[in-house]
Amino acid sequence: MPWTHEAISLATKYPNVYIDTSAYKTSRYPAEIVDYLRGHGRHKVLFGSNHLAWPAPDCLSGLDKLEFDEKTRTAFLRENAIRAFNLPF
């Protein structure tokens, strides 16, 4: 992703700034984003796809290879979006 370091910096500094992964398959995530997800950015990155062009299953293919722990995986796929968008779940 272009501007990876800048996006991480902004998401770290500002409580209401998040990073999403739309338009990227897991195999294309920059190492910096994966490291951020595994560390202090666990609650700041949202899963996204470009459905219909890139359906979610295609974008999720290979997620297991990133070896996220269960808390990180759940936050990335669900909990972060619920919190960021104040969804009623």
Side-chain angles (χ1 to χ4, degrees):
M1 285 189 232
W3 312 106
T4 301
H5 295 287
E6 291 84 352
I8 290 170
S9 178
L10 291 169
T12 299
K13 183 174 181 177
Y14 297 105
N16 289 327
V17 173
Y18 294 84
I19 298 170
D20 81 85
T21 61
S22 60
Y24 286 87
K25 293 183 178 184
T26 57
S27 61
R28 304 262 310 162
Y29 292 171
E32 296 86 0
I33 293 291
V34 174
D35 291 342
Y36 184 62
L37 256 164
R38 288 184 180 137
H40 71 278
R42 173 183 287 170
H43 301 293
K44 300 292 286 191
V45 183
L46 311 172
F47 168 75
S49 72
N50 269 10
H51 191 75
L52 295 164
W54 286 31
D58 291 350
C59 292
L60 285 169
S61 177
L63 182 65
D64 292 339
K65 291 180 183 177
L66 300 179
E67 299 180 350
F68 293 146
D69 63 34
E70 194 55 38
K71 282 185 176 184
T72 301
R73 184 183 181 101
T74 301
F76 174 56
L77 296 177
R78 183 176 194 276
E79 302 299 325
N80 294 347
I82 290 171
R83 189 179 55 263
F85 296 113
N86 197 28
L87 299 174
F89 293 104

